[in-house]
Amino acid sequence: MVIEEEHVHVELAHDPLDAKASMERVGSPKAGAIVLFAGTTRDNFANLAVKQLSYDAYPALALKTLLHIARDVKSKHSLTSISIIHRLGTVPVGEESILIAVSSPHRQAAWKAGEEALELTKEKAEIWKLEEFEGDEESVWRANRDGQMGVRVDKANLNSLKEEGSR
Amino acid sequence: MSTLNPTPTFKILYFASCATFTRLPFESLPAPLSLRDLFPTLEKRYPGMTKRVLESCAVTVNLEYVDLEDEEVTGKGTDGEGMVIKEGDEVALIPPVSSG
């Protein structure tokens, strides 16, 4: 699922993300700087070993939100181009779950814009992370806003949740 | 009679902790429904849902957030019934997000 405008690209993808493609997308002879942020999935939370993570989303609304964020950040920092891609479904530990690439004539704007786009995405995009732990520990829906573990999911319920995605 | 319309409904989407609680990704509920009756209706279907998940959820109708504290939306303190969810609307409960 992609929304593409001139120099603005937002996307939700089920396949592994391609950092080089993101950089190439925002690259331009007008831009002297490209900043790429790659968020990767961590192998632990609160000292618990994470086996894998899955992301659920409200695709239509998440894309709309990402488009607003990308447009606003591009305009505020006079970027040449911006690309925000988030992965959905199961993401094995160590792989990228989000790529944000921005380009601008000079580096300061690109640094600031990259961070701002990430923070706004984490705050607003309608995407949810489910952490599955090693052993008997129950899975947990995280909430970015308070850094807490969030709501636990019992094992019986987990498989039915992972079969969603037809919405 | 074969020409009878089925009961009018709206679609409600459950994500993350909401889907965990309802054990459903989405379902159809009877329309029309006053927005202020949404949480009580869900609480009746899923006892305990308000405290466990709804209190931390936002609500969208057709991809627009609605402010559940707003008097014009809920009709509280006014004579009206506030905003009404209509047949065919897509409503979603939005738990605290966690992308990245």
Side-chain angles (χ1 to χ4, degrees):
Chain A
M1 293 152 283
V2 181
I3 301 181
E4 186 96 60
E5 293 181 348
E6 207 182 356
H7 303 304
V8 173
H9 178 103
V10 296
E11 179 175 351
L12 300 172
H14 280 87
D15 298 322
L17 305 183
D18 182 345
K20 192 156 177 285
S22 275
M23 285 183 62
E24 286 169 358
R25 185 177 298 115
V26 299
S28 157
K30 293 183 174 51
I34 293 174
V35 167
L36 171 73
F37 174 83
T40 57
T41 49
R42 224 176 7 232
D43 71 353
N44 68 88
F45 180 75
N47 292 324
L48 294 169
V50 171
K51 187 169 63 182
Q52 62 181 20
L53 298 94
S54 326
Y55 290 90
D56 185 17
Y58 185 179
L61 187 56
L63 279 175
K64 184 180 164 187
T65 300
L66 290 177
L67 183 63
H68 282 147
I69 291 170
R71 279 182 187 156
D72 287 353
V73 170
K74 176 173 178 283
S75 142
K76 180 176 169 188
H77 296 279
S78 304
L79 298 177
T80 307
S81 184
I82 182 168
S83 165
I84 305 176
I85 305 181
H86 204 292
R87 190 165 165 192
L88 302 180
T90 300
V91 181
V93 164
E95 294 189 11
E96 291 88 22
S97 53
I98 184 168
L99 294 178
I100 293 182
V102 300
S103 61
S104 69
H106 303 288
R107 67 183 180 281
Q108 289 91 344
W111 279 122
K112 280 187 195 152
E115 176 168 29
E116 201 169 305
L118 176 69
E119 294 306 321
L120 286 169
T121 298
K122 288 181 78 101
E123 181 190 334
K124 293 180 187 296
E126 289 81 3
I127 297 171
W128 297 272
K129 181 193 310 190
L130 180 72
E131 282 166 326
E132 295 174 47
F133 300 104
E134 299 284 0
D136 294 331
E137 199 67 34
E138 287 174 326
S139 301
V140 167
W141 288 109
R142 277 281 292 281
N144 279 346
R145 72 177 177 199
D146 54 12
Q148 299 302 302
M149 286 194 68
V151 177
R152 285 166 187 273
V153 183
D154 65 61
K155 296 253 181 205
N157 201 357
L158 188 58
N159 288 329
S160 65
L161 284 169
K162 288 159 92 178
E163 286 159 13
E164 288 168 27
S166 56
R167 286 179 289 222
Chain B
M1 291 220 303
S2 60
T3 53
L4 272 180
N5 284 331
T7 314
T9 60
F10 68 92
K11 188 177 185 184
I12 182 161
L13 308 181
Y14 303 118
F15 297 100
S17 53
C18 290
T20 299
F21 200 89
T22 61
R23 299 181 177 246
L24 287 174
F26 60 86
E27 67 184 316
S28 293
L29 296 177
L33 180 70
S34 269
L35 200 59
R36 67 174 168 206
D37 293 332
L38 178 64
F39 281 12
T41 300
L42 290 169
E43 177 67 25
K44 208 172 281 177
R45 285 177 84 82
Y46 304 103
M49 190 179 189
T50 307
K51 274 230 148 6
R52 283 289 302 281
V53 289
L54 291 180
E55 281 177 352
S56 60
C57 282
V59 175
T60 62
V61 179
N62 300 330
L63 300 181
E64 298 286 345
Y65 282 93
V66 292
D67 182 354
L68 295 177
E69 307 292 311
D70 189 309
E71 284 183 1
E72 282 184 23
V73 171
T74 61
K76 277 175 196 157
T78 71
D79 292 337
E81 59 178 343
M83 190 177 159
V84 174
I85 301 167
K86 299 182 301 299
E87 179 180 7
D89 280 352
E90 180 173 282
V91 175
L93 302 173
I94 311 291
V97 297
S98 49
S99 68

